[in-house]
């Protein structure tokens, strides 16, 4: 899960047209609907947490980005962040907060470009997320489920929504049995 809650895939992995030109999209672009906090999809060690602004370095297109070297041997890239919440060498677990969705680098609006590499070669990240490689809305509306399940009033929900990590709170409430 890259976001706790509902998110939208705006550009899948593979061939696409970008600014009228054919483009090989090596990741999947996702936009958080109910939450903008990006979470690690796998456990591992943060290999890179930086912003590249030098346009001579093609990585500048990613803007603020994090690479996690997964315990499973895969490399996970989270790009265009507004803010990074991890540092190189830090160990993270799947579900840990690693950044805030943004619009840095070569981007056309707030989103996260999520890329997965095996031995340096990009692979389709959709199976890692457990979703189809297609534009669409995915995830789970934990907020609505928590409100229904616990009979929370609109006022209580408004109060809880002010909490920085309310999306994670709702997920934990719903998943607690």
């Amino acid at each position: 899960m890259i976001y706790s809650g509902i998110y939208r895939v705006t550009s899948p992995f593979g061939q696409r047209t970008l600014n009228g030109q054919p483009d090989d999209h090596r990741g999947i672009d996702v936009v958080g609907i109910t939450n903008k906090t990006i979470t690690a999809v796998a456990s591992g060690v943060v290999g890179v947490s930086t912003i590249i602004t030098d346009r001579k370095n093609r990585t500048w297109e990613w803007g603020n980005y994090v690479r996690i070297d997964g315990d499973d041997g895969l490399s996970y890239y989270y790009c265009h962040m507004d803010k990074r919440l991890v540092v190189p060498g830090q160990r993270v677990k799947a579900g840990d907060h690693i950044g805030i969705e943004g619009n840095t680098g070569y981007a056309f609006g707030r989103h996260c470009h999520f890329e997965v590499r095996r031995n340096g070669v990009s692979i389709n990240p959709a199976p890692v997320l457990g979703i189809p490689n297609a534009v669409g809305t995915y995830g789970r509306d934990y907020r609505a489920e928590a409100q229904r399940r616990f009979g929370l009033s609109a006022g209580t929900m408004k109060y809880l929504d002010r909490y920085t990590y309310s999306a994670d709170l709702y997920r934990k409430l719903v998943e607690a049995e």
Side-chain angles (χ1 to χ4, degrees):
M1 145 176 62
I2 194 164
Y3 293 98
S4 181
I6 307 281
Y7 59 94
R8 180 157 181 77
V9 171
T10 58
S11 185
F13 175 82
Q15 289 298 310
R16 67 178 181 178
T17 302
L18 184 64
N19 290 328
Q21 301 295 318
D23 179 60
D24 181 25
H25 194 219
R26 296 183 181 160
I28 194 167
D29 291 347
V30 292
V31 175
I33 303 298
T34 57
N35 186 15
K36 301 296 182 185
T37 304
I38 299 167
T39 60
V41 299
S43 298
V45 174
V46 177
V48 176
S49 178
T50 192
I51 184 167
I52 306 292
T53 57
D54 179 1
R55 289 184 178 229
K56 293 177 188 162
N57 179 338
R58 185 158 183 216
T59 307
W60 79 268
E61 293 180 356
W62 290 346
N64 242 338
Y65 80 99
V66 169
R67 184 193 79 222
I68 295 176
D69 300 321
D71 294 340
D72 57 6
L74 300 175
S75 296
Y76 300 90
Y77 294 79
Y78 307 81
C79 309
H80 306 304
M81 291 182 181
D82 185 50
K83 182 177 182 182
R84 292 170 280 114
L85 303 175
V86 293
V87 296
Q90 181 178 341
R91 172 154 278 290
V92 297
K93 297 183 312 275
D96 284 354
H97 298 162
I98 61 169
I100 306 297
E101 177 184 286
N103 188 23
T104 61
Y106 188 56
F108 302 96
R110 294 179 63 88
H111 72 285
C112 176
H113 169 84
F114 176 63
E115 193 166 321
V116 180
R117 294 185 184 180
R118 178 182 290 123
N119 300 321
V121 177
S122 297
I123 62 172
N124 183 356
V128 172
L129 297 175
I131 62 171
N133 185 38
V135 170
T137 303
Y138 305 97
R140 194 167 163 187
D141 190 350
Y142 292 106
R143 183 185 186 280
E145 286 185 47
Q147 185 175 17
R148 270 193 313 275
R149 183 173 182 184
F150 298 103
L152 301 173
S153 70
T156 299
M157 297 306 290
K158 186 175 179 180
Y159 175 79
L160 292 174
D161 287 342
R162 294 188 314 210
Y163 175 59
T164 302
Y165 298 113
S166 59
D168 290 319
L169 171 66
Y170 299 136
R171 179 181 55 81
K172 287 178 181 179
L173 284 171
V174 168
E175 290 177 349
E177 295 298 329

